Amino acid sequence: MPAPLRIDAQFFALPAVARCTSCAARPVGVCAAIPVHALTRLAATGVAMRIRAGQRFIEERDVAAHFFTLTAGTARLLKMLPNGRQQIISFPGSGDFLGLASQGGYNYAAEAVDEVRLCRFPRDALRRLMAEFPAMEKRLLEVTSYELSMAQEQMLLLGCKSALERIASFLLARARKTATGQRIMLPMGRADIADYIGLRIETVSRSLAHLKSAGTIGFATPSSVVIHDFAVLERLAFCA
Amino acid sequence: MPAPLRIDAQFFALPAVARCTSCAARPVGVCAAIPVHALTRLAATGVAMRIRAGQRFIEERDVAAHFFTLTAGTARLLKMLPNGRQQIISFPGSGDFLGLASQGGYNYAAEAVDEVRLCRFPRDALRRLMAEFPAMEKRLLEVTSYELSMAQEQMLLLGCKSALERIASFLLARARKTATGQRIMLPMGRADIADYIGLRIETVSRSLAHLKSAGTIGFATPSSVVIHDFAVLERLAFCA
DNA sequence: CGCTGTCTTGAGAGTCCTCAACCGTGGTGG
DNA sequence: CCACCACGGTTGAGGACTCTCAAGACAGCG
């Protein structure tokens, strides 16, 4: 039986006006399109939650009753096949918006990779927000359009690239996303990486080991990578 | 040197009011969001063109100066890698909208599979239309969101499925899209199919031959397929 | 300290790719 | 009219890359 989702008590300890203005995701998320004077109403329609690592909070094909804004942690979006195989679509993090459903049901399941914090809103709140603030709809189109271009880039990876090229692309994308110089953290395990780039876990491990023995990358721990040679990774990822 | 794009003379022979009202793509495309009284203005900002089979009409990474609505034929959207490999993203047809660019440049190239007819509009016309008709923006969000879910489905195919499962999925998707009962036409060649589902041309041919010898499908010509057993295809495509 | 889970490493097998030849059709020109 | 060629599609043999199965290494935790 799945554990019940937990309300975030810290959130409700705050005065309503501060719930959104103090949010880490506010400057980057779709909420940025909501003017300050309306944030209190926004906060009133939402529920802040904490999702434990591994816990699922969106079920594929469920009626899309809510939408979500992540405020901390990393999630994984995945599609399952009856034979047990699964494809991870993306690893959304703080500021990312979830829950656009193209025909009534969610297109993917969502699970927490590490502890995730998010705000959950009822779907008709989204409709009302979009009607009232056209900037919100515009922002949503931008975000969705960006997601689409990322998905297309991933199709290129899955359709054309070798194991080593996939790993290089993945590491570079992580470095770009988290922008922490040479050191990048991988909150997800090898199995998640494998499901994301269309390989088996052993192949991921072997490819990483190969890059390490070539001196291109190094490991502090299995989830902490240091990139020694960006040029090599870029040449691999670009398939030049 | 690429051949110049051709203006469609037939289009300009029509009175301006009829150019959009008589358009085959109008009921299904994003133009459906434009009220009839504004169609004359819409037609005035657009240029109708015919693209010969094989001709490219969008170049990857070019500045996204236009957007397009297909009115006839089939196109292919593709991303190229320096090593010559390419991934086909989708096969848009009549009614489909092209040209949303997430950061200034087009994310893919577009080429005509067979003879394509389309309407080309300047990008700022899109901005003005969206400002004036919120329904247009809403429609665009719906369309983009649907594209995203299709892309995610394709990621599942590229990341998880075997050659036979990919072919079965492709045939079913075609049957669903064109909705012509048992007989489906494949305007694209084997090479395009291969680039779309992440296989080599020989593997596509072998997989089709295998389905044929199993009695699941049949061929009138290489581009005309008859599906004899939907159930088998569905079992393969869903990986059950 | 043993256990559990994740990650790594090894050996063998399988699927798909590569290279190559062959087939059928449509168009061209002698 | 038919030979010829070009092109797309099919078929075959061998090889490469990744998967599968299995065992070992390592860290975290009761």
Side-chain angles (χ1 to χ4, degrees), chain A residues 49-51 57 70 72-75 112-118:
Chain A
M49 326 194 82
R50 306 172 75 121
I51 316 290
F57 60 96
L70 299 203
T74 302
V113 170
D114 46 17
E115 175 162 288
V116 162
R117 287 193 223 178
L118 55 79

Side-chain angles (χ1 to χ4, degrees), chain A residues 24 54 65 98 123 128 160 212:
Chain A
L98 299 187
R123 174 146 298 269
R128 271 184 277 114
C160 297
K212 179 187 171 190

Side-chain angles (χ1 to χ4, degrees), chain A residues 1 3 14 18-20 34-35 54 59 71 74 84 87 100 139 145 163 182 192 196 203-204 220:
Chain A
M1 72 255 129
L14 289 174
R19 288 174 196 168
C20 286
I34 309 289
E59 204 74 46
T71 57
T74 302
Q87 178 65 30
L100 266 190
R139 184 89 188 87
S145 169
Q182 297 192 311
D192 281 347
Y196 181 54
T203 309
V204 169

Side-chain angles (χ1 to χ4, degrees), chain A residues 96-120:
Chain A
D96 284 333
F97 172 88
L98 299 187
L100 266 190
S102 76
Q103 43 254 39
Y106 295 115
N107 299 316
Y108 42 71
E111 299 172 353
V113 170
D114 46 17
E115 175 162 288
V116 162
R117 287 193 223 178
L118 55 79
C119 275
R120 194 187 72 182

Side-chain angles (χ1 to χ4, degrees), chain B residues 11-26:
Chain B
F11 176 80
F12 290 100
L14 289 174
V17 284
R19 288 175 195 167
C20 286
T21 51
S22 70
C23 174
R26 150 100 170 136

Side-chain angles (χ1 to χ4, degrees), chain A residues 157-211:
Chain A
L157 179 148
L158 293 169
C160 297
K161 297 186 185 177
S162 73
L164 207 55
E165 290 161 353
R166 293 179 197 210
I167 285 289
S169 305
F170 175 73
L171 291 176
L172 279 179
R174 277 274 123 189
R176 226 173 287 126
K177 180 163 186 169
T178 58
T180 48
Q182 297 192 311
R183 163 164 277 110
I184 58 180
M185 293 302 296
L186 303 176
M188 69 294 291
R190 297 293 188 265
D192 281 347
I193 298 175
D195 284 343
Y196 181 54
I197 61 180
L199 298 173
R200 310 267 82 190
I201 180 172
E202 299 93 335
T203 309
V204 169
S205 196
R206 271 186 259 269
S207 303
L208 287 171
H210 182 264
L211 288 176

